[in-house]
Amino acid sequence: MSEPSLALTKDSLELLSLATKARDKAYVPYSKFRVGVALRTRSGTVHVGCNIENASYPEGWCAETSAISAMIMASDGAGSSEIEELVVVAEHSQPITPCGGCRQRIKEFGTPETVIHSADLNGIQKSFTLAGLLPAAFDLKAEE
C-alpha cells in the first residue's frame, strides 16, 4: 500500500478555516489556550469542535473530542463516522498535535492512513498519518 498523500488540498484549507473559526469559540477561562478542530469524514461531511474547560480539571473536553461527538451525533452510516482528514489549530510556539487520548479517539473512527494536519494561526505547518502519530494503537478488535 502506498503512503497517503499529505499534500494540502482545497479541502485541507477549508478544514483549516473551519478549525480556526471553531477555535474562536473555545471556552477556556482557566488556561486561555484555545484549540479548534475540523474533521472530514470518508463520506465528505465536516464537523468542528473546540476545547471546553471546566473548573474541575481535568473534566474539560479537548477540541478533537468535541468534533468527534458532533460527528457521531450527525452520523447516518455509509462512511459518515469514518475520519479521513483532520486539522487541529492553536496559537503556540509550535503547531500542536492531538494529545494521546485524542489520538486513540481518532483511531477509533479513523484508519492508519487518516491525515492529521497540525496548524498554528499562520496555517498548516506539518502533516501526519494517524499511524505516524500512534504507531502502536490500543485495539480490542479480534484478529481475523
Side-chain angles (χ1 to χ4, degrees):
M1 176 175 9
S2 64
E3 177 73 14
S5 172
L6 298 180
L8 298 182
T9 65
K10 180 181 170 189
D11 288 341
S12 304
L13 297 177
E14 177 189 6
L15 290 176
L16 172 62
S17 176
L18 293 169
T20 301
K21 290 175 185 170
R23 180 190 165 276
D24 292 339
K25 294 184 177 189
Y27 178 74
V28 292
Y30 309 104
S31 73
K32 312 290 190 229
F33 188 71
R34 296 179 177 279
V35 180
V37 164
L39 64 83
R40 182 174 39 81
T41 67
R42 186 171 56 84
S43 65
T45 60
V46 174
H47 305 281
V48 298
C50 63
N51 55 326
I52 303 167
E53 294 180 347
N54 187 292
S56 178
Y57 279 134
E59 295 304 317
W61 280 30
C62 293
E64 296 87 344
T65 303
S66 295
I68 290 169
S69 178
M71 176 189 71
I72 293 301
M73 292 303 296
S75 177
D76 62 359
S80 63
S81 62
E82 295 176 34
I83 301 170
E84 190 167 278
E85 184 177 22
L86 180 146
V87 173
V88 57
V89 62
E91 183 175 16
H92 197 260
S93 61
Q94 60 185 7
I96 63 167
T97 59
C99 71
C102 285
R103 291 176 192 197
Q104 188 65 42
R105 286 179 189 93
I106 295 164
K107 186 257 182 233
E108 188 74 18
F109 300 101
T111 68
E113 294 80 30
T114 295
V115 177
I116 299 168
H117 302 288
S118 180
D120 61 19
L121 299 183
N122 296 313
I124 293 172
Q125 302 300 319
K126 198 159 186 177
S127 300
F128 307 87
T129 62
L130 181 57
L133 287 178
L134 191 64
F138 179 77
D139 193 348
L140 284 177
K141 294 177 185 153
E143 300 272 332
E144 305 222 4

